Amino acid sequence: MAKKVVKKGKKPHKNKPTSKKYSKYKIEGDKITRERFCPRCGPGVFLTNSKGRFYCGKCHYSEFESKAEKKD
Ligand SMILES: [Zn+2]
């Protein structure tokens, strides 16, 4: 006798927000400028900029925007 599979109710489908990768590309004339990408994951995985820090959501790599900022 086969095991009874308990079927759970279907989860309601929710639309997830898109990664908005297109917003990381900017075309200026013939040039395509890209946002900073992750040095670990390589180009294609962009770093998000928050409060002067760059952060990779994939490998959790983080980098400070101003590395060698001079202090007065
Ligand atoms: Zn990464």
Side-chain angles (χ1 to χ4, degrees):
M1 200 172 136
K3 273 188 180 177
K4 269 191 182 177
V5 180
V6 179
K7 274 189 180 176
K8 286 176 184 174
K10 271 192 174 178
K11 288 176 186 172
H13 181 258
K14 282 177 188 172
N15 283 322
K16 287 178 184 173
T18 53
S19 63
K20 287 180 182 173
K21 249 176 200 173
Y22 56 86
S23 65
K24 303 288 183 188
Y25 293 88
K26 279 168 194 168
I27 297 168
E28 289 170 10
D30 295 334
K31 276 185 181 177
I32 300 169
T33 53
R34 274 154 287 212
E35 290 283 311
R36 297 207 48 193
F37 54 79
C38 181
R40 277 197 222 166
C41 300
V45 179
F46 293 100
L47 301 176
T48 180
N49 188 359
S50 71
K51 294 171 191 172
R53 282 188 299 117
F54 290 101
Y55 176 74
C56 174
K58 200 173 181 181
C59 71
H60 309 291
Y61 170 86
S62 60
E63 192 177 278
F64 288 95
E65 192 172 18
S66 50
K67 280 181 186 172
E69 197 179 313
K70 285 179 183 175
K71 283 180 183 177
D72 287 314

Short mmCIF file of all heavy atoms in Angstrom, two decimals:
data_model
loop_
_atom_site.label_atom_id
_atom_site.label_comp_id
_atom_site.label_asym_id
_atom_site.label_seq_id
_atom_site.Cartn_x
_atom_site.Cartn_y
_atom_site.Cartn_z
N MET A 1 0.83 -1.21 0.00
CA MET A 1 0.00 0.00 0.00
C MET A 1 0.86 1.26 0.00
O MET A 1 1.82 1.38 0.77
CB MET A 1 -0.87 -0.01 1.25
CG MET A 1 -2.06 0.89 1.10
SD MET A 1 -3.20 0.68 2.48
CE MET A 1 -3.58 2.37 2.85
N ALA A 2 0.55 2.10 -0.87
CA ALA A 2 1.36 3.33 -1.02
C ALA A 2 1.06 4.30 0.11
O ALA A 2 -0.04 4.30 0.66
CB ALA A 2 1.06 3.99 -2.36
N LYS A 3 2.08 5.01 0.43
CA LYS A 3 1.90 6.00 1.50
C LYS A 3 0.99 7.13 1.03
O LYS A 3 1.07 7.56 -0.12
CB LYS A 3 3.26 6.61 1.88
CG LYS A 3 3.98 5.79 2.93
CD LYS A 3 5.21 6.55 3.39
CE LYS A 3 5.95 5.74 4.45
NZ LYS A 3 7.17 6.44 4.84
N LYS A 4 0.26 7.55 1.95
CA LYS A 4 -0.63 8.67 1.63
C LYS A 4 0.16 9.97 1.68
O LYS A 4 0.87 10.24 2.65
CB LYS A 4 -1.79 8.75 2.62
CG LYS A 4 -3.01 7.97 2.17
CD LYS A 4 -4.18 8.32 3.06
CE LYS A 4 -5.40 7.51 2.65
NZ LYS A 4 -6.53 7.79 3.54
N VAL A 5 0.05 10.71 0.65
CA VAL A 5 0.73 12.01 0.61
C VAL A 5 -0.24 13.06 1.08
O VAL A 5 -1.31 13.25 0.49
CB VAL A 5 1.24 12.33 -0.82
CG1 VAL A 5 1.94 13.69 -0.83
CG2 VAL A 5 2.18 11.23 -1.29
N VAL A 6 0.18 13.70 2.15
CA VAL A 6 -0.70 14.75 2.67
C VAL A 6 -0.48 16.01 1.86
O VAL A 6 0.61 16.58 1.85
CB VAL A 6 -0.40 15.01 4.16
CG1 VAL A 6 -1.32 16.12 4.69
CG2 VAL A 6 -0.57 13.74 4.97
N LYS A 7 -1.51 16.36 1.17
CA LYS A 7 -1.39 17.56 0.33
C LYS A 7 -1.74 18.79 1.14
O LYS A 7 -2.81 18.84 1.77
CB LYS A 7 -2.31 17.45 -0.89
CG LYS A 7 -1.67 16.72 -2.04
CD LYS A 7 -2.53 16.84 -3.28
CE LYS A 7 -1.86 16.09 -4.42
NZ LYS A 7 -2.71 16.12 -5.62
N LYS A 8 -0.80 19.69 1.09
CA LYS A 8 -1.08 20.96 1.76
C LYS A 8 -1.69 21.94 0.75
O LYS A 8 -1.49 21.78 -0.45
CB LYS A 8 0.21 21.56 2.32
CG LYS A 8 0.68 20.81 3.56
CD LYS A 8 1.99 21.35 4.05
CE LYS A 8 2.49 20.52 5.23
NZ LYS A 8 3.84 20.92 5.63
N GLY A 9 -2.34 22.88 1.29
CA GLY A 9 -2.96 23.87 0.42
C GLY A 9 -1.92 24.62 -0.38
O GLY A 9 -0.79 24.81 0.06
N LYS A 10 -2.28 24.99 -1.56
CA LYS A 10 -1.35 25.73 -2.41
C LYS A 10 -1.06 27.09 -1.82
O LYS A 10 -1.98 27.76 -1.33
CB LYS A 10 -1.94 25.90 -3.81
CG LYS A 10 -1.61 24.76 -4.74
CD LYS A 10 -1.98 25.13 -6.16
CE LYS A 10 -1.52 24.04 -7.12
NZ LYS A 10 -1.91 24.39 -8.49
N LYS A 11 0.21 27.41 -1.88
CA LYS A 11 0.57 28.73 -1.37
C LYS A 11 0.12 29.80 -2.36
O LYS A 11 0.26 29.61 -3.57
CB LYS A 11 2.09 28.84 -1.19
CG LYS A 11 2.59 28.03 -0.01
CD LYS A 11 4.09 28.08 0.06
CE LYS A 11 4.58 27.16 1.15
NZ LYS A 11 6.05 27.05 1.11
N PRO A 12 -0.38 30.87 -1.84
CA PRO A 12 -0.78 31.95 -2.76
C PRO A 12 0.43 32.53 -3.46
O PRO A 12 1.48 32.75 -2.84
CB PRO A 12 -1.44 32.98 -1.84
CG PRO A 12 -0.94 32.67 -0.47
CD PRO A 12 -0.64 31.20 -0.44
N HIS A 13 0.29 32.71 -4.73
CA HIS A 13 1.41 33.22 -5.52
C HIS A 13 1.63 34.69 -5.24
O HIS A 13 0.69 35.49 -5.27
CB HIS A 13 1.12 33.01 -7.00
CG HIS A 13 2.21 33.49 -7.89
ND1 HIS A 13 2.15 34.68 -8.58
CD2 HIS A 13 3.43 32.96 -8.16
CE1 HIS A 13 3.27 34.83 -9.26
NE2 HIS A 13 4.07 33.81 -9.02
N LYS A 14 2.88 34.99 -4.96
CA LYS A 14 3.21 36.40 -4.73
C LYS A 14 4.26 36.83 -5.74
O LYS A 14 5.22 36.09 -5.97
CB LYS A 14 3.76 36.59 -3.32
CG LYS A 14 2.66 36.61 -2.26
CD LYS A 14 3.29 36.72 -0.89
CE LYS A 14 2.23 36.53 0.19
NZ LYS A 14 2.84 36.44 1.52
N ASN A 15 4.07 37.99 -6.24
CA ASN A 15 5.06 38.51 -7.17
C ASN A 15 6.23 39.09 -6.39
O ASN A 15 6.06 39.94 -5.52
CB ASN A 15 4.45 39.60 -8.05
CG ASN A 15 3.58 39.02 -9.13
OD1 ASN A 15 3.90 37.97 -9.69
ND2 ASN A 15 2.47 39.66 -9.42
N LYS A 16 7.41 38.58 -6.70
CA LYS A 16 8.59 39.09 -6.02
C LYS A 16 9.12 40.31 -6.77
O LYS A 16 9.01 40.36 -8.00
CB LYS A 16 9.68 38.02 -5.98
CG LYS A 16 9.35 36.91 -5.00
CD LYS A 16 10.43 35.85 -5.03
CE LYS A 16 10.04 34.71 -4.12
NZ LYS A 16 10.99 33.59 -4.24
N PRO A 17 9.73 41.21 -6.03
CA PRO A 17 10.33 42.36 -6.72
C PRO A 17 11.52 41.91 -7.55
O PRO A 17 12.29 41.03 -7.14
CB PRO A 17 10.76 43.28 -5.58
CG PRO A 17 10.84 42.40 -4.38
CD PRO A 17 9.85 41.31 -4.57
N THR A 18 11.66 42.50 -8.69
CA THR A 18 12.74 42.12 -9.57
C THR A 18 14.08 42.66 -9.05
O THR A 18 14.10 43.54 -8.20
CB THR A 18 12.51 42.66 -10.99
OG1 THR A 18 12.27 44.05 -10.91
CG2 THR A 18 11.32 41.98 -11.64
N SER A 19 15.15 42.09 -9.57
CA SER A 19 16.46 42.48 -9.08
C SER A 19 16.87 43.86 -9.57
O SER A 19 17.81 44.45 -9.06
CB SER A 19 17.50 41.47 -9.52
OG SER A 19 17.58 41.44 -10.92
N LYS A 20 16.17 44.35 -10.55
CA LYS A 20 16.46 45.66 -11.12
C LYS A 20 17.89 45.78 -11.60
O LYS A 20 18.59 46.75 -11.33
CB LYS A 20 16.15 46.77 -10.10
CG LYS A 20 14.65 46.97 -9.92
CD LYS A 20 14.36 48.06 -8.93
CE LYS A 20 12.87 48.21 -8.75
NZ LYS A 20 12.53 49.13 -7.69
N LYS A 21 18.34 44.74 -12.22
CA LYS A 21 19.71 44.74 -12.74
C LYS A 21 19.86 45.76 -13.86
O LYS A 21 20.93 46.28 -14.10
CB LYS A 21 20.07 43.35 -13.26
CG LYS A 21 21.11 42.69 -12.39
CD LYS A 21 21.39 41.29 -12.85
CE LYS A 21 22.02 40.52 -11.70
NZ LYS A 21 22.16 39.11 -12.03
N TYR A 22 18.78 46.00 -14.54
CA TYR A 22 18.85 46.94 -15.66
C TYR A 22 19.21 48.34 -15.17
O TYR A 22 19.79 49.12 -15.91
CB TYR A 22 17.51 46.98 -16.41
CG TYR A 22 16.33 47.31 -15.51
CD1 TYR A 22 15.98 48.64 -15.26
CD2 TYR A 22 15.56 46.30 -14.94
CE1 TYR A 22 14.93 48.95 -14.44
CE2 TYR A 22 14.49 46.60 -14.12
CZ TYR A 22 14.18 47.93 -13.87
OH TYR A 22 13.12 48.24 -13.06
N SER A 23 18.89 48.62 -13.91
CA SER A 23 19.19 49.95 -13.39
C SER A 23 20.67 50.13 -13.13
O SER A 23 21.13 51.24 -12.87
CB SER A 23 18.39 50.20 -12.12
OG SER A 23 18.80 49.33 -11.10
N LYS A 24 21.42 49.03 -13.18
CA LYS A 24 22.85 49.12 -12.93
C LYS A 24 23.62 49.48 -14.19
O LYS A 24 24.81 49.71 -14.14
CB LYS A 24 23.38 47.79 -12.38
CG LYS A 24 22.70 47.33 -11.12
CD LYS A 24 23.10 48.18 -9.95
CE LYS A 24 22.44 47.67 -8.66
NZ LYS A 24 22.67 48.59 -7.55
N TYR A 25 22.93 49.47 -15.30
CA TYR A 25 23.57 49.79 -16.57
C TYR A 25 23.11 51.17 -17.02
O TYR A 25 21.93 51.49 -16.94
CB TYR A 25 23.20 48.76 -17.64
CG TYR A 25 23.75 47.40 -17.38
CD1 TYR A 25 23.05 46.48 -16.62
CD2 TYR A 25 24.99 47.02 -17.91
CE1 TYR A 25 23.54 45.21 -16.38
CE2 TYR A 25 25.50 45.76 -17.69
CZ TYR A 25 24.77 44.86 -16.92
OH TYR A 25 25.27 43.61 -16.70
N LYS A 26 24.06 51.92 -17.49
CA LYS A 26 23.71 53.22 -18.04
C LYS A 26 24.42 53.38 -19.38
O LYS A 26 25.61 53.08 -19.49
CB LYS A 26 24.13 54.33 -17.09
CG LYS A 26 23.14 54.53 -15.96
CD LYS A 26 23.74 55.41 -14.88
CE LYS A 26 22.90 55.33 -13.61
NZ LYS A 26 23.60 55.95 -12.47
N ILE A 27 23.70 53.84 -20.33
CA ILE A 27 24.29 54.04 -21.65
C ILE A 27 24.49 55.53 -21.88
O ILE A 27 23.54 56.31 -21.81
CB ILE A 27 23.39 53.43 -22.74
CG1 ILE A 27 23.28 51.93 -22.54
CG2 ILE A 27 23.95 53.76 -24.12
CD1 ILE A 27 22.19 51.28 -23.38
N GLU A 28 25.74 55.87 -22.07
CA GLU A 28 26.06 57.27 -22.35
C GLU A 28 26.72 57.33 -23.72
O GLU A 28 27.89 57.00 -23.88
CB GLU A 28 27.00 57.82 -21.27
CG GLU A 28 26.28 58.01 -19.93
CD GLU A 28 27.25 58.30 -18.80
OE1 GLU A 28 28.44 58.56 -19.08
OE2 GLU A 28 26.81 58.27 -17.65
N GLY A 29 25.93 57.72 -24.69
CA GLY A 29 26.44 57.73 -26.05
C GLY A 29 26.68 56.30 -26.52
O GLY A 29 25.76 55.51 -26.62
N ASP A 30 27.94 55.98 -26.79
CA ASP A 30 28.28 54.62 -27.21
C ASP A 30 28.82 53.80 -26.05
O ASP A 30 29.09 52.62 -26.20
CB ASP A 30 29.34 54.67 -28.33
CG ASP A 30 28.78 55.33 -29.58
OD1 ASP A 30 27.56 55.27 -29.76
OD2 ASP A 30 29.56 55.90 -30.36
N LYS A 31 28.98 54.45 -24.94
CA LYS A 31 29.58 53.76 -23.79
C LYS A 31 28.51 53.16 -22.90
O LYS A 31 27.43 53.73 -22.72
CB LYS A 31 30.41 54.75 -22.96
CG LYS A 31 31.82 54.94 -23.48
CD LYS A 31 32.59 55.82 -22.51
CE LYS A 31 34.00 56.05 -23.01
NZ LYS A 31 34.73 56.96 -22.10
N ILE A 32 28.85 52.02 -22.36
CA ILE A 32 27.97 51.41 -21.36
C ILE A 32 28.70 51.46 -20.03
O ILE A 32 29.76 50.87 -19.86
CB ILE A 32 27.62 49.96 -21.72
CG1 ILE A 32 26.92 49.91 -23.07
CG2 ILE A 32 26.74 49.35 -20.63
CD1 ILE A 32 26.78 48.49 -23.60
N THR A 33 28.15 52.21 -19.14
CA THR A 33 28.76 52.29 -17.82
C THR A 33 27.99 51.39 -16.86
O THR A 33 26.77 51.37 -16.87
CB THR A 33 28.75 53.74 -17.29
OG1 THR A 33 27.42 54.25 -17.36
CG2 THR A 33 29.68 54.61 -18.09
N ARG A 34 28.76 50.69 -16.08
CA ARG A 34 28.15 49.75 -15.15
C ARG A 34 28.46 50.16 -13.72
O ARG A 34 29.46 50.79 -13.45
CB ARG A 34 28.68 48.34 -15.39
CG ARG A 34 27.92 47.61 -16.46
CD ARG A 34 28.81 46.57 -17.09
NE ARG A 34 29.79 47.22 -17.94
CZ ARG A 34 30.28 46.69 -19.05
NH1 ARG A 34 29.90 45.50 -19.41
NH2 ARG A 34 31.15 47.32 -19.78
N GLU A 35 27.62 49.74 -12.86
CA GLU A 35 27.89 49.92 -11.44
C GLU A 35 29.01 48.98 -11.02
O GLU A 35 29.42 48.10 -11.77
CB GLU A 35 26.62 49.61 -10.62
CG GLU A 35 25.52 50.63 -10.80
CD GLU A 35 25.76 51.91 -10.02
OE1 GLU A 35 26.07 51.83 -8.83
OE2 GLU A 35 25.65 52.98 -10.63
N ARG A 36 29.49 49.17 -9.84
CA ARG A 36 30.56 48.31 -9.34
C ARG A 36 30.05 46.89 -9.15
O ARG A 36 28.96 46.68 -8.64
CB ARG A 36 31.07 48.85 -8.01
CG ARG A 36 31.67 50.23 -8.17
CD ARG A 36 32.70 50.48 -7.12
NE ARG A 36 33.63 49.37 -7.00
CZ ARG A 36 34.48 49.23 -5.98
NH1 ARG A 36 34.49 50.11 -5.03
NH2 ARG A 36 35.31 48.22 -5.93
N PHE A 37 30.85 45.97 -9.62
CA PHE A 37 30.44 44.59 -9.44
C PHE A 37 31.34 43.89 -8.42
O PHE A 37 32.40 44.40 -8.04
CB PHE A 37 30.43 43.83 -10.77
CG PHE A 37 31.73 43.91 -11.53
CD1 PHE A 37 32.81 43.11 -11.18
CD2 PHE A 37 31.85 44.79 -12.61
CE1 PHE A 37 34.00 43.18 -11.89
CE2 PHE A 37 33.04 44.86 -13.31
CZ PHE A 37 34.11 44.07 -12.95
N CYS A 38 30.91 42.74 -7.99
CA CYS A 38 31.60 42.01 -6.92
C CYS A 38 32.90 41.41 -7.43
O CYS A 38 32.91 40.73 -8.45
CB CYS A 38 30.68 40.91 -6.41
SG CYS A 38 31.40 39.97 -5.06
N PRO A 39 34.01 41.65 -6.73
CA PRO A 39 35.27 41.06 -7.14
C PRO A 39 35.31 39.56 -6.91
O PRO A 39 36.14 38.85 -7.49
CB PRO A 39 36.31 41.78 -6.26
CG PRO A 39 35.54 42.28 -5.09
CD PRO A 39 34.14 42.52 -5.56
N ARG A 40 34.46 39.07 -6.07
CA ARG A 40 34.44 37.63 -5.81
C ARG A 40 33.55 36.91 -6.79
O ARG A 40 33.90 35.86 -7.33
CB ARG A 40 33.92 37.38 -4.39
CG ARG A 40 34.99 37.52 -3.33
CD ARG A 40 34.52 36.87 -2.05
NE ARG A 40 34.85 37.69 -0.89
CZ ARG A 40 34.33 37.49 0.31
NH1 ARG A 40 33.43 36.56 0.49
NH2 ARG A 40 34.70 38.24 1.31
N CYS A 41 32.38 37.47 -7.01
CA CYS A 41 31.42 36.81 -7.88
C CYS A 41 31.68 37.15 -9.35
O CYS A 41 31.28 36.42 -10.23
CB CYS A 41 30.00 37.22 -7.52
SG CYS A 41 29.54 36.78 -5.84
N GLY A 42 32.38 38.26 -9.58
CA GLY A 42 32.69 38.62 -10.94
C GLY A 42 31.64 39.53 -11.53
O GLY A 42 30.63 39.83 -10.90
N PRO A 43 31.91 40.00 -12.75
CA PRO A 43 30.96 40.90 -13.39
C PRO A 43 29.61 40.22 -13.60
O PRO A 43 29.53 39.04 -13.92
CB PRO A 43 31.63 41.24 -14.73
CG PRO A 43 32.69 40.22 -14.92
CD PRO A 43 33.08 39.72 -13.57
N GLY A 44 28.60 40.97 -13.41
CA GLY A 44 27.25 40.42 -13.51
C GLY A 44 26.57 40.44 -12.17
O GLY A 44 25.36 40.53 -12.07
N VAL A 45 27.39 40.34 -11.13
CA VAL A 45 26.83 40.44 -9.77
C VAL A 45 27.22 41.80 -9.23
O VAL A 45 28.39 42.07 -8.98
CB VAL A 45 27.37 39.32 -8.86
CG1 VAL A 45 26.79 39.45 -7.46
CG2 VAL A 45 27.04 37.96 -9.44
N PHE A 46 26.25 42.63 -9.11
CA PHE A 46 26.53 44.01 -8.74
C PHE A 46 26.50 44.18 -7.23
O PHE A 46 25.86 43.42 -6.51
CB PHE A 46 25.52 44.94 -9.39
CG PHE A 46 25.66 44.99 -10.88
CD1 PHE A 46 24.83 44.25 -11.68
CD2 PHE A 46 26.65 45.77 -11.46
CE1 PHE A 46 24.96 44.29 -13.05
CE2 PHE A 46 26.79 45.81 -12.82
CZ PHE A 46 25.94 45.07 -13.62
N LEU A 47 27.21 45.21 -6.81
CA LEU A 47 27.21 45.55 -5.40
C LEU A 47 26.18 46.64 -5.17
O LEU A 47 26.06 47.57 -5.95
CB LEU A 47 28.58 46.07 -4.97
CG LEU A 47 29.76 45.13 -5.17
CD1 LEU A 47 31.05 45.85 -4.79
CD2 LEU A 47 29.63 43.86 -4.36
N THR A 48 25.47 46.50 -4.11
CA THR A 48 24.51 47.54 -3.78
C THR A 48 25.19 48.58 -2.89
O THR A 48 26.02 48.25 -2.06
CB THR A 48 23.27 46.95 -3.09
OG1 THR A 48 22.37 48.01 -2.79
CG2 THR A 48 23.62 46.22 -1.80
N ASN A 49 24.83 49.80 -3.12
CA ASN A 49 25.46 50.89 -2.39
C ASN A 49 24.52 51.39 -1.31
O ASN A 49 23.43 51.86 -1.60
CB ASN A 49 25.81 52.02 -3.37
CG ASN A 49 26.64 53.10 -2.70
OD1 ASN A 49 26.94 53.03 -1.52
ND2 ASN A 49 27.01 54.10 -3.46
N SER A 50 24.96 51.24 -0.09
CA SER A 50 24.14 51.74 1.00
C SER A 50 25.02 52.40 2.04
O SER A 50 25.94 51.78 2.56
CB SER A 50 23.32 50.61 1.63
OG SER A 50 24.15 49.75 2.36
N LYS A 51 24.76 53.63 2.30
CA LYS A 51 25.47 54.40 3.31
C LYS A 51 26.98 54.37 3.08
O LYS A 51 27.75 54.13 4.00
CB LYS A 51 25.14 53.89 4.70
CG LYS A 51 23.70 54.12 5.09
CD LYS A 51 23.37 53.39 6.38
CE LYS A 51 21.87 53.40 6.62
NZ LYS A 51 21.51 52.55 7.76
N GLY A 52 27.38 54.55 1.84
CA GLY A 52 28.80 54.62 1.54
C GLY A 52 29.48 53.26 1.55
O GLY A 52 30.71 53.18 1.51
N ARG A 53 28.70 52.20 1.60
CA ARG A 53 29.30 50.87 1.55
C ARG A 53 28.75 50.11 0.37
O ARG A 53 27.59 50.26 0.00
CB ARG A 53 28.98 50.10 2.84
CG ARG A 53 29.83 50.51 4.00
CD ARG A 53 29.62 49.60 5.19
NE ARG A 53 28.24 49.65 5.65
CZ ARG A 53 27.42 48.59 5.64
NH1 ARG A 53 27.87 47.43 5.21
NH2 ARG A 53 26.20 48.69 6.05
N PHE A 54 29.61 49.30 -0.20
CA PHE A 54 29.16 48.43 -1.27
C PHE A 54 29.00 47.03 -0.71
O PHE A 54 29.86 46.53 0.00
CB PHE A 54 30.16 48.44 -2.42
CG PHE A 54 30.19 49.74 -3.16
CD1 PHE A 54 31.17 50.68 -2.93
CD2 PHE A 54 29.21 50.03 -4.10
CE1 PHE A 54 31.19 51.88 -3.60
CE2 PHE A 54 29.22 51.23 -4.79
CZ PHE A 54 30.20 52.16 -4.54
N TYR A 55 27.91 46.41 -1.07
CA TYR A 55 27.61 45.12 -0.48
C TYR A 55 27.13 44.16 -1.56
O TYR A 55 26.33 44.52 -2.42
CB TYR A 55 26.54 45.31 0.60
CG TYR A 55 26.07 44.03 1.22
CD1 TYR A 55 26.88 43.35 2.12
CD2 TYR A 55 24.82 43.50 0.90
CE1 TYR A 55 26.45 42.17 2.70
CE2 TYR A 55 24.38 42.32 1.47
CZ TYR A 55 25.20 41.67 2.37
OH TYR A 55 24.78 40.51 2.93
N CYS A 56 27.67 42.96 -1.50
CA CYS A 56 27.24 41.92 -2.43
C CYS A 56 26.21 41.04 -1.73
O CYS A 56 26.49 40.49 -0.66
CB CYS A 56 28.44 41.09 -2.89
SG CYS A 56 27.94 39.68 -3.90
N GLY A 57 25.06 40.95 -2.31
CA GLY A 57 24.01 40.15 -1.71
C GLY A 57 24.20 38.67 -1.93
O GLY A 57 23.51 37.85 -1.35
N LYS A 58 25.17 38.32 -2.79
CA LYS A 58 25.35 36.91 -3.11
C LYS A 58 26.35 36.25 -2.17
O LYS A 58 26.09 35.19 -1.62
CB LYS A 58 25.82 36.79 -4.56
CG LYS A 58 25.58 35.42 -5.15
CD LYS A 58 25.92 35.43 -6.62
CE LYS A 58 25.65 34.07 -7.22
NZ LYS A 58 26.00 34.03 -8.64
N CYS A 59 27.50 36.90 -2.01
CA CYS A 59 28.55 36.30 -1.17
C CYS A 59 28.80 37.15 0.07
O CYS A 59 29.73 36.89 0.81
CB CYS A 59 29.84 36.11 -1.97
SG CYS A 59 30.67 37.66 -2.37
N HIS A 60 27.99 38.17 0.27
CA HIS A 60 28.07 39.03 1.45
C HIS A 60 29.39 39.78 1.52
O HIS A 60 29.87 40.07 2.60
CB HIS A 60 27.83 38.23 2.73
CG HIS A 60 26.58 37.41 2.67
ND1 HIS A 60 25.33 37.97 2.65
CD2 HIS A 60 26.41 36.08 2.56
CE1 HIS A 60 24.44 36.99 2.57
NE2 HIS A 60 25.06 35.84 2.51
N TYR A 61 29.97 39.99 0.37
CA TYR A 61 31.18 40.79 0.33
C TYR A 61 30.79 42.25 0.53
O TYR A 61 29.80 42.72 -0.03
CB TYR A 61 31.86 40.60 -1.04
CG TYR A 61 32.99 41.55 -1.30
CD1 TYR A 61 34.28 41.24 -0.86
CD2 TYR A 61 32.78 42.74 -2.00
CE1 TYR A 61 35.32 42.11 -1.12
CE2 TYR A 61 33.82 43.60 -2.26
CZ TYR A 61 35.09 43.29 -1.81
OH TYR A 61 36.11 44.15 -2.05
N SER A 62 31.57 42.94 1.34
CA SER A 62 31.28 44.36 1.55
C SER A 62 32.56 45.16 1.42
O SER A 62 33.64 44.70 1.75
CB SER A 62 30.64 44.58 2.92
OG SER A 62 31.52 44.16 3.93
N GLU A 63 32.39 46.35 0.91
CA GLU A 63 33.54 47.21 0.67
C GLU A 63 33.14 48.64 0.97
O GLU A 63 32.03 49.05 0.68
CB GLU A 63 33.96 47.07 -0.80
CG GLU A 63 35.30 47.69 -1.11
CD GLU A 63 35.67 47.43 -2.56
OE1 GLU A 63 36.18 46.34 -2.87
OE2 GLU A 63 35.42 48.31 -3.39
N PHE A 64 34.07 49.35 1.54
CA PHE A 64 33.78 50.74 1.84
C PHE A 64 34.08 51.60 0.63
O PHE A 64 35.06 51.37 -0.09
CB PHE A 64 34.62 51.20 3.03
CG PHE A 64 34.15 50.60 4.32
CD1 PHE A 64 34.72 49.46 4.83
CD2 PHE A 64 33.10 51.22 5.02
CE1 PHE A 64 34.28 48.91 6.02
CE2 PHE A 64 32.65 50.66 6.21
CZ PHE A 64 33.24 49.51 6.71
N GLU A 65 33.22 52.55 0.45
CA GLU A 65 33.31 53.39 -0.74
C GLU A 65 34.60 54.21 -0.72
O GLU A 65 35.34 54.26 -1.69
CB GLU A 65 32.11 54.31 -0.82
CG GLU A 65 32.00 55.00 -2.17
CD GLU A 65 30.68 55.75 -2.28
OE1 GLU A 65 30.04 56.01 -1.25
OE2 GLU A 65 30.28 56.06 -3.39
N SER A 66 34.87 54.84 0.40
CA SER A 66 36.06 55.66 0.50
C SER A 66 37.10 54.93 1.34
O SER A 66 37.02 54.89 2.56
CB SER A 66 35.72 57.00 1.13
OG SER A 66 34.98 56.79 2.32
N LYS A 67 38.03 54.30 0.64
CA LYS A 67 39.04 53.51 1.35
C LYS A 67 40.07 54.41 2.01
O LYS A 67 40.32 54.32 3.20
CB LYS A 67 39.74 52.57 0.37
CG LYS A 67 38.96 51.33 0.05
CD LYS A 67 39.75 50.47 -0.90
CE LYS A 67 38.93 49.27 -1.37
NZ LYS A 67 39.65 48.55 -2.43
N ALA A 68 40.66 55.25 1.17
CA ALA A 68 41.75 56.08 1.67
C ALA A 68 41.30 57.54 1.72
O ALA A 68 41.85 58.40 1.05
CB ALA A 68 42.97 55.93 0.77
N GLU A 69 40.32 57.74 2.52
CA GLU A 69 39.84 59.11 2.66
C GLU A 69 40.66 59.83 3.71
O GLU A 69 40.91 59.32 4.80
CB GLU A 69 38.36 59.10 3.07
CG GLU A 69 37.70 60.44 2.84
CD GLU A 69 36.24 60.40 3.23
OE1 GLU A 69 35.55 59.44 2.83
OE2 GLU A 69 35.80 61.30 3.94
N LYS A 70 41.07 60.98 3.34
CA LYS A 70 41.92 61.75 4.25
C LYS A 70 41.07 62.42 5.33
O LYS A 70 40.00 62.96 5.05
CB LYS A 70 42.72 62.81 3.49
CG LYS A 70 43.86 62.21 2.71
CD LYS A 70 44.61 63.29 1.96
CE LYS A 70 45.71 62.70 1.10
NZ LYS A 70 46.36 63.72 0.28
N LYS A 71 41.60 62.37 6.50
CA LYS A 71 40.89 63.02 7.60
C LYS A 71 41.55 64.36 7.90
O LYS A 71 42.77 64.46 7.93
CB LYS A 71 40.93 62.15 8.84
CG LYS A 71 39.95 60.99 8.76
CD LYS A 71 40.02 60.15 10.02
CE LYS A 71 39.09 58.96 9.90
NZ LYS A 71 39.21 58.08 11.09
N ASP A 72 40.72 65.32 8.11
CA ASP A 72 41.25 66.64 8.44
C ASP A 72 41.49 66.78 9.94
O ASP A 72 40.71 66.30 10.72
CB ASP A 72 40.25 67.73 7.98
CG ASP A 72 40.29 67.84 6.48
OD1 ASP A 72 41.40 67.87 5.94
OD2 ASP A 72 39.22 67.90 5.86
ZN ZN B 1 29.77 38.54 -4.38
#
